[in-house]
Structures are given as structure tokens and as C-alpha cells.
Amino acid sequence: MLSLATADFQQADVDYGAILPMLIVFGGALIGVLVEGFAPRRARHSIQTAVSVLALAAAFFALAVVAQGHQGKTLAGSVVLDGPALFLQGALLLMALLSVLMMAEKFGGETPDAFTPMGATAPGSPQEAAATRLGLVTSEVLPLTLFSVGGMMLFTAAGDLLTMFVALEVLSLPLYILSGLARRRRLLSQEASLKYFLLGSFSSAFFLFGAALLYGYAGSVGFAEINKAITTATPQLENLLLPGILFVLVGVLFKVGAVPFHSWTPDVYQGAPSPVTGFMAACTKLAAFGALLRLAYVAFDADRWSWRPALIAVAALTMVLGAILTVTQTDVKRLLAYSAISHAGFILVGVLSFDRMGVAGVMFYLVAYGFSTIAAFAIISMVRAGGSEATQLSQWAGLGKREPFVAVLFAFLMMSMAGIPLTAGFTAKFAAFAPAVAHGDRAGAALVIIGVLASAVTAFVYFRVIVLMFFNDTDGDVSVLSPSIGMWTAIILATVVTIVLGVYPGPALDAADQLSQFLR
Amino acid sequence: MTSLVFPAAEQAAAAAATGPAAYAWLLIAFPLLGAAILLLAGRRSDSWGPALATGLSWASFGLGVAILVQMLGLGAEERGMRSRLFELINTGSLKLDAGLLVDQLSISFVMLVTFVGSLIHVYSLGYMEHDVDKRRFFAYLNLFVAAMLTLVLADSYLVLFFGWEGVGLASYLLIGFWNHNPAYATAANKAFIVNRVGDIGMILALGMMFKTFGAVDFASVNERVGGASQTALTLIGLFLLLAACGKSAQFPLQSWLGDAMAGPTPVSALIHAATMVTAGVYLIVRSHAIFDAAPDARLAVTIVGAITLLFGAVVGMAKDDIKKALAASTMSQIGYMMLAAGLGPVGYVFAIFHLITHGFFKAGMFLGAGSVMHGMDNQVDMRRFGNLSGAMKLTWATFGLGWLAIIGFPGLSGWWSKDKIIEAAFVGEGWRPWVFGLVTLFGAGLTAFYMSRLFFMTFQGKKRWTDEVHPHESPATMTVPMIILSLGSLALGAILAMVKFPEWLAPVTNGGHLEHREPVLSIPAIQIATFVLMALGIAVAWMKYWRDDVPVVAPEGNVLTKAARADLFQDDVNETVFRAPGAGLVEVLDDLDRGGVDKVAVGGLGGTTALLSSKLRRLQNGFARSYALTMLAGVVALLGAVWVIQ
């Protein structure tokens, strides 16, 4: 019935069931903006916390109950809800929930402990003092977090380059702001924020440039179309393909924190408020790897053999440099930042297996790493000296004697990061490395060997922290704050996940395995 | 129906268990449950725990009787019954079910362990009455019974190994029960460590079996012995012998048994006389198929038995500590059993026969020794005893029966079993019957001497105890078990011989029937010689330790006496030959590790990494412009590299 002319424009079908979780998160964020504008100041923070927690919980519920049954492409193919997207979004929502609980922590004070009362004031200025006196609260951190989470969810489910770019910006912009809002050491925090913003923009430009080249090559920004265009080659435009792919990958590798696009990581991880660092380390990494998997397995799969060497080099460099640089770190947060870099390298090994098992292994790794990182940064935010966080490693000496419970938790998390058997870290490494050996031919095996050696180097670092905590004498006035129920719940939950994924990983591995098939 | 559980080939060896035998696992479960309850409930079970433990031990005995009755109703070929419990291991090439095997051999042990064990539980109710940790003691006793039953009921060497380690643990815990005394704690450690050496033998045997037969269950091993090489079989046999030496305190791993007397006397009676120390003999007899096919290994068993027999006897002649003298005699008697087991088909059943009768009379004598100690304020020096027969009539009588049994007085239990071993030792060709036969004969004379010495020094002669000691008879909980065991000393041998126990056992060990072979000397001649030597031993002991006064301080003695008092320098030998070089090796390795591995390899690698790290660190200079440049350089390098590769 339709004429050819009207077929040129087709209204996109919207499967609201598939995007319901994202809608709930964005809706929660918008409600948060309204709360910021209209709720009385005293109640604002509590309302924001409630809204955020409810939105994330509801989104998870919607994901598990509704979206699960609505897998497929929607919004004209710009959103793809398939197995990996479902798995990653679910993990994302749970980890975001724990992060929100930590961001809301007051440690018995009037306002959230980690954030400055007023981000716009200059550090040490009279305005800042006045804001503190007035008891101002930057409760907008929570809606900002929700926006970022929404962006991350979209990032893992994007079906074309433009949607992915928009998602990248939606997830990044709030993070730039969040990084600059630390209550203490504000200069460091603002510096981190600015650096993150500058370098993030730089990498976004690469991404956009790559997207433009690929559009020129394929005549479409859709992943499926790009992949199809690669198989039906157009020789005269061949030269656009490889630079396009590499530039797009660079944009994502930046977010992942892979060498040589990693330089921002230590500075930002150190400067940002610890709960935000935990959130970034866990959730951003997860979303970025989700996007990377989709690019590598869906959009650029057909041209795999030409760009694979680049990714192999990046993976090897990331593992080696990340591991070596952890050795000389004296600041706990920077140490974990470099550890995050080396973990990114380990995960890349799984990505490079180019196999379904690899996808499952990567997703399992992201979950295992994410939960233990969130808990680790939460504990870091609790260890204090003279009012601010005691991030110097030397200050952690003897912590095991004074605060055995917290120290044991942290030691356990360190062991998981080192990949000691019966912790999540071990299972994760195995899940990511095994497919690389099985399906990644010689390069995969070589990467696994590098990975194991790098793990050995990082294990030294993690165990040095443990030795420091338990076998060295206590020094100075370091104390551990006792958090509220909410934060304790988050820490314990994250630790329990780390234990369960190590001792009884079967169900989680099965779930990752079942949800590892990308929809092309 | 049964083929679902066992491959058809193994059916001949053992059918699936039915009736009471299907519940054989309860034999183990009862005492294990007791141990768990007593240990977990803690002090709350102080009041009722010991009684519960005793009850559960008797429950196992009751079930054991039921299984025995069932078995007696079956034909000789149907008496081996296997029951599968659960899958223990399932890997690529090794699949093993945990299962139990009830046959004539294992049921004999079940009866010995549960009956003597239960009696000793009862005895301990009296003996340990005033000990604050009585509950823990009973928990360990129950644990021991459970482990020992696992050992004898196992249907594979691996499950046997679980029991093997379990009894080792229980023995360790009970020797060191009074571990507030450092010497006792050391004795426990010594027992544990020496046993560890034997356990290595067991592990090696398991590994060799898996390599040779591809299986470790009795049925498959017995079936596949024919296809194995002589070397492999000899090695397995020697490893098993090593294991047996550790557990049964045989030469050269005998040094722990004397010190193990540090444990409470009921423990010495149950574990270090009647049951656990005989596990080595059980292991050899259970592995008869391997030893029958490896004559060299079997000869080694005989030689070890012969050496230990004499070793124990010599040590026993010089000891003044009543428990240590009894321990030496245990060692010597197990030497008899080992020797018999090493003789092969002519000896297996008599080794077990002697093991059973010995279990009764030796446990009885240990309980008697405990009763003496109870009445003598825990003294153990026999030079301070003497003429206790009047003060402790029951103890004297029961101990006396045990004494007559062990020296092989005609008609009593020991005579029935030990004379058979001596006769069997004289069977064969060449030098062996003469050497082993004469050793057993001579050993019988020595046994008569040192046991009579022990008996006379304790109960006869003149009183030598000091005035503050008031010897008295023990309570009924202690004397009743002693009386029951002494009845065993008196008549068990005759009863078992009457019901043809050796013939009944033969299907398990000798492949069906017991063939009689003529010894190199006529049987009456052997019996007369044995009797004469025994009488001689008693006479010498009578002259020195009953008729003459026994000095309360030991005389200096000759070289041999001194050596025997020092356990023939066993500890010095171990110290010089094993511990000192071992410690030296450790020192060398430690130096190598610190100076070589740590300093050069670890330190060097670590130092290089740290140096590299501190150099690379400078790239992270904090300037956003340098970071951006790094990124750009990275992109360019990647692009360039990929283009070059293409």
C-alpha cells in the first residue's frame, strides 16, 4: 500500500520494555534535578538518596522482569538489547547501587562526607568557609551519578556509532564534575577534574573523527551495516576503514584506561572523592568494556585481522606497564589506579580471544573486579588521619593490629585482586585467560603468559600492603571511621560477592555464558 | 542387580551386602557421632558425655554381633560383602567409590575392636573419673574406634588410608592427652612424626598401585596382581611394609611405642596394645595377594618381624617401668605376628589368630597395670612394687591369667596361637625354617623370662613400696572389664581353635582352604622345646625376682642390660643417622634460599622491576599536555604499526 516515497522515512519502533530500565534511571535523575530545585535544603540529601536508590533498584527489577523478555533491536537499531547488554546493565545497576550508598555516607556528620559543600567556590576561600558554615550540601552528586549510570547502560547497548558517542558523553560529563567535588584536598580534586575533562574531550574527538571516517566508508553508522560493508568491500574507500576503526577504539580504550591512553587514570583516581573513584573504576570500566566488546565482536568483526595486532600491542603494554608502575606507588589510591590499568590489560586478553567463552569471561571478570574495587575504595574512604583520608601507604602500617576486621576485609580484597585461588579474582582471571589460550592462537597464549607474569608482579604489590597492615608496627594517629548501616551493607555485600564468585562461581559463570551471544 | 554397583569380574570377590551387613557404615557412624557430639557440645556434655560415648561403642559392638551372626549363616563363598557408600573420587582415569567390605577378616577385627574397645570405655569410666577433661578423653576414644573401624572395614586402600590417618590422629591426641606435661607432649609428637615416616610408605604404595594396577580397591588389585611386574610388586610390598612398620612399631620404626606409654593407661591398653598397633599386621594380611606374588617383599616382612621379636624381648627384660616393659612385650608379640604374616599362606591365619588372643590378654594386662597404678598413686617403677598379690587379689588373678597366656602356658589362649606360629616358622626349605624357627623358639623363652620377671616383681616377693602408699583394689568399673578380658586370656584361644577359627578365616587369606605342611622338626619336638624354654625362663625369673630380694635401686648391670635399658640406643641411632644430617641439610638449604634464591633471583628481579618502575614513573609528570602527547604518540604509533603490518 505504501508508496516508495513515503518509505524513505519510517517511524522508528520503540520497544519501551527494552529501554524501560534506562528510562527509569534517567527519570530518577530528572526527578533528582527537580528535587534539587524544589525540596527544602534540610531534607534534600535524604530525598536524593531515596530517589537514587529506588530508581536503581526499580531499574534492576525492570531489567530482570520486563526488559529480559524484550531482547532485540529497537529504536531503529540504535539500541540493541541482547545477552551481554542485559548482563552488563544488571551488573552496572547493582554496582551503582552500592556506589550510591557510599556516596551518601555522612560518617555521623551533617552532610555527605566525601563532597565539598559547594563545588563552585575556590579552595580555601571565604565563600567556601561560609558554605561550610551554612551546612550546604552538593546533593546534586546523586542525580549526576544517575545520569552517568544511564549513559553507561546505553553505552553497553548502543547499536550505532552515534548512539554510542552520545552515551559516551552522557556518562562522561557527570563524571568530570563528580571528580572535582572532593571535600578535602580540593585543589588536587579540581586538577583531576580538569585533566579528566581535557583528555576526555581529546579522546572523544578521536572517537568522533573515527566515526566520521567509518560513515564515509560504510555509508552508515550502524554496527551491523559497518560490518556488512567490510565484507562487501569498496576498494576506493579502503583507506578510511582502518584509521576509522582505530580512532573509534582509541576513544573507548581511553575510558578503559589502557596504555598509552591511561595517563589520566592515576591522577583522576587520586584526586576524585573515593566513592566516586570506586564508582568510576567499577562502572565506567564495565561500561567501556561492554562497548569495546560490541565494537570488536559486532561492528569491526569482519576486519578483525587488520586491527587485532594493535589491540594485542595495547593489551601487552597495558599489562606490563600497569604492573611495573604499581611497584613504586606510595599512595593507596594511585596504587589501585595502576592496578586498574593492569586489570584492564588482563580483561583485554579475554576480549582478544574472539570467542563466546571470551565474552563470558570478560563479563565475569568485570563483575568480580567491580565489586572488590568498590569495597576497596569504600574502605580507603574510612581510613583517616587528621580528618582526611590516610592514603599514604606508610600510614596503613599496623592497621591490622588496631582495626583487625577492616584490615582483614581489605587484605581479602587485595588477595582477590592478586588472583589468589578461592577468591573472585582467581576465577575471573581463569575465565578470561582460558578462552584466550583456547581460541586466541599464538598471540593469545603469549598474552596469557605476559598476563600471568604481570599478575605475579602485581601480587607482590598487593601482598606488600597486607604485610604492611599486619606485620609492621603501627605509627601515627590513623583511625578508621565507623560507617552507617547503608555503607556497611554495601561493603559486606561487595565482599560477599567476592567470596562467592571465588568459592562457588558456577551460577555466575553459567549466567555469563548464557548471556554471551551478541545480536548482530 | 548387583552388576550396577560392581563390574561383573569383581562379583566373585564380594557380593553386595544385604541384611545387617548393609548397615555396616553405622559401625563407624555410631562412635563418630559420639566424638562429634562430645567435641562440639563442649563442657555441656561433661555429665552425660562419657556414658553416651560408652553406649555408642557398645552399639557398634551390638551391630557387629548382628553382622557376625548373619555371616555365620552364609556359605563360605558368600561371606565377603561389599557395600558402596558414595563416590569418593571421579577424575579422568581414577574413579573410586568409598565402600565397605565385610568379610571374615574384617569382622574379626570389628569384634576385637568394638568388644575390647567398649570394655575399655567402661574401664575408663572408673579410671578417668576424677580427670577434669574426661569428656574430651571419651571423645577421642570414640574417634579412635570410628577410625579403626574405617581402617578395617575399608574396601580400598584409599579408604583404609583415611582410617589409617584417623587412628594416627587419635593416637597422637591420646598420647598427649596430658599435654601440660612437656614430656608427654613430646612423646605424642614423637609418635606422630615416626608414624608419618610409615605413612609416606603408605602413600608411595598407593601411588605405585595406581600406576601398576590403575586401581586401589582390594578387589581390582587382587585381580590384577597376575599381570604386574615383579619389580613393581616387590616395591609395593616394601612400601606397605614400611607403612606397617610405622603403625605397628616394628623395626626400624619402633622407637615411638615406649614413649607412647605417656598416654592414660586405658589408651595404652586399647590403642598401643590391642588394636591400632596391630593395623600393620592387618595391612600385610589384607595385601596377601601382593605379598604372595612378591616373595622378596614377604621375606623382608619375616625378617622385620624376627628382628623386632628379639628387639622387644631384649628391651623388655631390662625395663623397670611396668608400662614400658609391657610396651616392649607388645612390640615383641607383634613381631611374632609380622613374622607369621611374612611366612605366607602357612602363617596368615595364625598371625590374625595370635593378634586376636593377644588383643585380649595384653589389653587385660595393661588394664591390670592401670589398676596397680591406681592403687599405688600412679607409680610405675616395679622395683617399688612387690607382694601386691595380697592387696589386689582381683588384679593379681586377672593379670596372672594374662601372664600365663602370653608366655604360652599350655591350654591358655597364647599357647593356641603362638605355638602355631612357632610351628609355622619351622616350615619351609633351606636356611629359613631353621633361622626363623629358632628365633621364635628362643623368643618364647625370653618372653617367659621377662613376663615372669614383670609378674613376680609386681605381685610376688617382698613388699618394697614406701609407707605413704596404700595399695587397694580398684572399683568395679575397672575390675569387671579386667575379669572379662582375663576370661578371654584363659579360654579364647581354646574356643577359637574349637570353632576352627583359622579354617574359617582361610577363604580370605589362603584362597579357600588351609593346607597343612610339615615343619622341619616334628611338632611334638617343637612343643616340648617350647615348653622347656618357657619353664626355664620362669625358673630364672623366679630365682632372681621372687626368691631373691630385688634391690629398689637398679644395679648397674652389664653392657647388654645398659643397652636394653636405653632401648638398644634406638633414639641415638635416629638422632645420628636421620635427625642430625636432616638438620644439616635444612641449614644448607636455608642458606641457599636466603643467599641464593632470595638475594640473587628474588632480590635481583624485584630490584630490576622497581628500578624500571621508578624510571617509567617519570612519564607520569602531572601535565595534561604531556598526557595528551602520549595519547597522540600512541595513536600514531598504532596506526603506523598496523599499516606496516598490512
Side-chain angles (χ1 to χ4, degrees):
Chain A
M1 291 292 236
L2 289 170
S3 71
L4 277 172
T6 52
D8 283 341
F9 180 80
Q10 269 188 317
Q11 194 188 352
D13 280 333
V14 182
D15 186 351
Y16 285 101
I19 58 169
L20 185 62
M22 279 186 268
L23 290 181
I24 292 175
V25 173
F26 282 126
L30 291 174
I31 292 173
V33 173
L34 293 178
V35 169
E36 203 59 30
F38 296 106
R41 180 174 293 161
R42 295 240 162 262
R44 212 178 277 163
H45 180 255
S46 319
I47 298 175
Q48 291 288 28
T49 311
V51 167
S52 312
V53 169
L54 278 178
L56 291 169
F60 184 78
F61 185 72
L63 188 79
V65 176
V66 183
Q68 227 216 124
H70 289 262
Q71 294 190 37
K73 295 186 178 186
T74 181
L75 285 163
S78 57
V79 170
V80 182
L81 194 74
D82 49 12
L86 268 178
F87 184 93
L88 293 172
Q89 288 188 349
L92 203 55
L93 288 168
L94 290 180
M95 295 198 287
L97 194 61
L98 300 190
S99 303
V100 162
L101 289 175
M102 286 165 192
M103 291 184 197
E105 180 60 39
K106 295 176 176 173
F107 287 121
E110 295 282 304
T111 57
D113 181 80
F115 299 98
T116 174
M118 200 169 173
T121 56
S125 65
Q127 291 89 336
E128 187 187 35
T132 312
R133 209 169 43 248
L134 280 172
L136 299 188
V137 183
T138 45
S139 44
E140 56 267 41
V141 291
L142 294 175
L144 282 172
T145 308
L146 284 190
F147 276 122
S148 186
V149 171
M152 291 171 183
M153 290 169 74
L154 185 58
F155 205 37
T156 61
D160 60 49
L161 287 170
L162 271 187
T163 311
M164 188 173 264
F165 179 72
V166 171
L168 175 64
E169 292 305 300
V170 171
L171 83 86
S172 301
L173 288 171
L175 285 178
Y176 302 148
I177 302 169
L178 288 171
S179 306
L181 290 180
R183 175 187 290 268
R184 305 171 187 87
R185 294 206 250 175
R186 291 205 49 212
L187 272 178
L188 199 69
S189 174
Q190 292 185 345
E191 184 188 325
S193 173
L194 190 66
K195 276 182 192 166
Y196 195 13
F197 173 64
L198 284 174
L199 296 169
S201 311
F202 192 43
S203 77
S204 292
F206 275 113
F207 187 97
L208 208 52
F209 188 24
L213 292 177
L214 287 175
Y215 180 70
Y217 171 79
S220 167
V221 288
F223 292 152
E225 288 77 10
I226 293 173
N227 202 36
K228 211 165 117 193
I230 297 171
T231 49
T232 57
T234 44
Q236 67 271 30
L237 294 174
E238 193 71 34
N239 287 337
L240 297 182
L241 178 62
L242 201 51
I245 289 176
L246 282 180
F247 288 163
V248 167
L249 288 180
V250 165
V252 180
L253 287 172
F254 172 84
K255 278 285 162 224
V256 160
V259 178
F261 317 108
H262 68 289
S263 318
W264 61 276
T265 320
D267 294 10
V268 175
Y269 275 31
Q270 185 188 19
S274 294
V276 173
T277 312
F279 173 65
M280 277 196 296
C283 298
T284 313
K285 187 159 275 157
L286 181 132
F289 266 109
L292 186 64
L293 279 174
R294 193 173 293 282
L295 289 173
Y297 283 68
V298 179
F300 310 147
D301 187 44
D303 196 36
R304 182 197 301 173
W305 297 106
S306 53
W307 55 265
R308 199 177 83 122
L311 216 53
I312 290 173
V314 168
L317 264 181
T318 308
M319 288 189 283
V320 171
L321 277 184
I324 289 181
L325 280 168
T326 41
V327 173
T328 41
Q329 298 309 315
T330 53
D331 183 291
V332 184
K333 285 171 85 175
R334 284 183 86 84
L335 189 149
L336 285 188
Y338 281 107
S339 130
I341 295 173
S342 57
H343 280 293
F346 301 145
I347 302 173
L348 274 175
V349 175
V351 174
L352 283 165
S353 67
F354 294 105
D355 183 74
R356 252 190 85 167
M357 290 300 292
V359 177
V362 166
M363 296 198 299
F364 184 89
Y365 201 122
L366 290 166
V367 170
Y369 172 75
F371 279 101
S372 43
T373 305
I374 289 178
F377 278 105
I379 290 175
I380 288 175
S381 74
M382 287 157 53
V383 180
R384 298 295 171 92
S388 68
E389 287 174 6
T391 57
Q392 280 299 311
L393 260 182
S394 55
Q395 292 172 304
W396 285 57
L399 197 70
K401 286 168 192 159
R402 267 175 302 154
E403 296 285 346
F405 183 64
V406 170
V408 165
L409 278 187
F410 197 74
F412 176 75
L413 296 169
M414 289 292 105
M415 286 200 264
S416 178
M417 294 206 182
I420 303 300
L422 290 186
T423 63
F426 174 77
T427 325
K429 276 210 179 80
F430 187 81
F433 285 178
V437 173
H439 305 282
D441 63 52
R442 236 179 296 169
L447 281 178
V448 168
I449 291 172
I450 297 176
V452 171
L453 292 177
S455 303
V457 174
T458 53
F460 159 75
V461 179
Y462 301 128
F463 276 96
R464 203 180 51 183
V465 176
I466 297 176
V467 168
L468 200 66
M469 288 195 298
F470 289 96
F471 300 103
N472 283 28
D473 280 329
T474 161
D475 107 300
D477 54 343
V478 178
S479 60
V480 172
L481 298 180
S482 49
S484 63
I485 287 284
M487 181 146 164
W488 262 134
T489 316
I491 295 178
I492 298 297
L493 268 181
T495 315
V496 167
V497 169
T498 311
I499 295 172
V500 170
L501 291 185
V503 180
Y504 189 57
L509 278 172
D510 284 344
D513 191 39
Q514 277 167 17
L515 295 174
S516 61
Q517 185 64 56
F518 278 107
L519 190 65
R520 283 166 198 276
Chain B
M1 186 186 76
T2 51
S3 63
L4 283 176
V5 184
F6 306 115
E10 292 168 27
Q11 265 187 30
T18 51
Y23 296 97
W25 61 275
L26 279 174
L27 288 169
I28 301 167
F30 284 142
L32 196 63
L33 182 74
I37 291 175
L38 263 62
L39 288 175
L40 293 176
R43 294 247 167 253
R44 267 162 293 182
S45 58
D46 270 353
S47 51
W48 45 266
L52 174 76
T54 312
L56 286 169
S57 181
W58 282 112
S60 278
F61 172 70
L63 180 57
V65 170
I67 297 176
L68 177 65
V69 170
Q70 177 200 5
M71 187 183 287
L72 291 176
L74 296 170
E77 295 307 314
E78 298 160 356
R79 284 176 180 160
M81 290 175 283
R82 247 177 118 174
S83 53
R84 178 184 184 274
L85 295 182
F86 51 87
E87 188 174 70
L88 189 63
I89 294 174
N90 187 3
T91 61
S93 47
L94 177 61
K95 188 174 172 304
L96 185 72
D97 292 337
L100 301 182
L101 171 64
V102 178
D103 63 4
Q104 292 93 319
L105 182 57
S106 57
I107 200 71
S108 307
F109 269 85
V110 167
M111 297 316 295
L112 174 71
V113 172
T114 55
F115 185 63
V116 176
S118 300
L119 282 179
I120 285 170
H121 273 79
V122 173
Y123 178 90
S124 305
L125 287 174
Y127 190 83
M128 301 294 285
E129 197 179 355
H130 303 296
D131 198 293
V132 284
D133 277 333
K134 187 166 65 158
R135 171 192 55 84
R136 198 160 52 87
F137 179 80
F138 277 88
Y140 294 161
L141 273 190
N142 259 4
L143 176 68
F144 168 76
V145 171
M148 189 69 200
L149 290 174
T150 311
L151 196 164
V152 295
L153 283 168
D155 75 340
S156 70
Y157 284 96
L158 193 66
V159 177
L160 180 147
F161 189 55
F162 281 106
W164 190 265
E165 292 299 297
V167 294
L169 171 69
S171 155
Y172 165 78
L173 291 170
L174 285 164
I175 295 170
F177 185 72
W178 290 317
N179 55 19
H180 44 78
N181 182 337
Y184 293 2
T186 309
N189 280 339
K190 185 176 177 184
F192 199 70
I193 291 166
V194 176
N195 264 291
R196 203 76 305 132
V197 178
D199 295 345
I200 293 291
M202 191 72 196
I203 291 171
L204 289 173
L206 278 169
M208 273 300 287
M209 278 179 203
F210 180 59
K211 182 179 174 290
T212 314
F213 309 119
V216 290
D217 63 301
F218 297 146
S220 313
V221 168
N222 291 352
E223 187 190 331
R224 294 173 198 172
V225 160
S229 78
Q230 192 64 34
T231 326
L233 288 174
T234 306
L235 268 178
I236 294 174
L238 290 177
F239 289 146
L240 287 174
L241 175 61
L242 181 65
C245 284
K247 198 58 86 194
S248 292
Q250 297 295 292
F251 182 83
L253 297 178
Q254 78 290 356
S255 66
W256 62 272
L257 188 61
D259 293 350
M261 296 300 123
T265 306
V267 172
S268 311
L270 177 61
I271 302 184
H272 305 120
T275 55
M276 184 192 84
V277 285
T278 59
V281 181
Y282 171 80
L283 182 69
I284 304 283
V285 174
R286 183 54 91 187
S287 315
H288 62 90
I290 293 169
F291 284 99
D292 286 344
D296 291 343
R298 211 168 72 185
L299 179 63
V301 174
T302 322
I303 293 172
V304 163
I307 293 175
T308 315
L309 187 174
L310 292 177
F311 192 110
V314 170
V315 171
M317 289 192 292
K319 288 286 178 190
D320 290 332
D321 178 325
I322 186 168
K323 283 182 74 180
K324 292 206 168 169
L326 280 174
S329 110
T330 304
M331 195 194 293
S332 172
Q333 294 302 310
I334 297 172
Y336 268 107
M337 300 169 207
M338 278 295 217
L339 186 144
L343 294 173
V346 291
Y348 292 137
V349 290
F350 300 116
I352 300 298
F353 190 8
H354 193 51
L355 193 159
I356 303 277
T357 56
H358 173 259
F360 276 78
F361 59 68
K362 185 53 69 63
M365 281 191 284
F366 260 111
L367 295 190
S371 172
V372 169
M373 287 161 62
H374 195 77
M376 298 290 289
D377 288 352
N378 280 323
Q379 286 191 49
V380 287
D381 185 359
M382 293 190 292
R383 293 186 183 275
R384 281 290 173 190
F385 294 168
N387 199 20
L388 288 174
S389 51
M392 309 178 163
K393 285 226 155 34
L394 272 174
T395 308
W396 169 76
T398 56
F399 203 108
L401 284 174
W403 162 60
L404 289 173
I406 196 173
I407 62 175
F409 195 82
L412 273 75
S413 281
W415 179 76
W416 293 96
S417 52
K418 193 158 67 173
D419 266 25
K420 288 288 185 191
I421 293 181
I422 297 173
E423 285 167 24
F426 273 109
V427 172
E429 283 154 10
W431 56 272
R432 289 185 199 174
W434 293 103
V435 171
F436 296 136
L438 288 174
V439 163
T440 52
L441 199 58
F442 187 54
L446 295 182
T447 308
F449 170 74
Y450 71 76
M451 285 312 296
S452 306
R453 171 181 178 270
L454 190 156
F455 188 70
F456 297 158
M457 275 176 93
T458 305
F459 293 102
Q460 313 297 353
K462 294 197 181 70
K463 86 163 221 190
R464 296 182 297 276
W465 69 80
T466 44
D467 289 336
E468 62 265 29
V469 187
H470 306 286
H472 56 86
E473 190 54 273
S474 301
T477 44
M478 290 167 67
T479 49
V480 170
M482 283 155 57
I483 293 168
I484 295 174
L485 287 174
S486 71
L487 294 179
S489 312
L490 179 69
L492 185 68
I495 293 170
L496 287 179
M498 231 153 54
V499 300
K500 296 195 183 305
F501 175 70
E503 286 80 1
W504 184 71
L505 205 55
V508 180
T509 55
N510 293 26
H513 61 98
L514 206 56
E515 60 178 308
H516 183 76
R517 289 174 61 194
E518 278 306 313
V520 287
L521 279 176
S522 72
I523 290 176
I526 296 172
Q527 285 181 344
I528 289 166
T530 314
F531 187 80
V532 168
L533 278 169
M534 179 195 78
L536 216 60
I538 299 175
V540 176
W542 176 77
M543 283 192 293
K544 288 191 68 174
Y545 298 102
W546 188 345
R547 194 192 60 186
D548 298 349
D549 285 347
V550 178
V552 291
V553 178
E556 199 176 331
N558 57 23
V559 181
L560 189 64
T561 315
K562 280 185 195 161
R565 278 188 194 138
D567 298 309
L568 300 181
F569 307 115
Q570 58 187 12
D571 292 334
D572 304 273
V573 170
N574 286 346
E575 167 73 23
T576 343
V577 179
F578 297 107
R579 202 206 64 83
L585 185 67
V586 167
E587 251 166 60
V588 171
L589 286 178
D590 185 54
D591 287 346
L592 261 179
D593 190 48
R594 283 174 202 280
V597 178
D598 278 4
K599 208 172 257 171
V600 179
V602 178
L605 261 178
T608 317
T609 313
L611 193 72
L612 206 61
S613 181
S614 58
K615 289 259 190 302
L616 284 170
R617 232 184 131 175
R618 295 190 196 142
L619 290 175
Q620 194 75 20
N621 55 15
F623 293 120
R625 54 173 191 265
S626 325
Y627 295 174
L629 192 67
T630 317
M631 285 173 66
L632 186 63
V635 172
V636 171
L638 281 185
L639 259 183
V642 171
W643 256 323
V644 167
I645 290 175
Q646 278 203 320

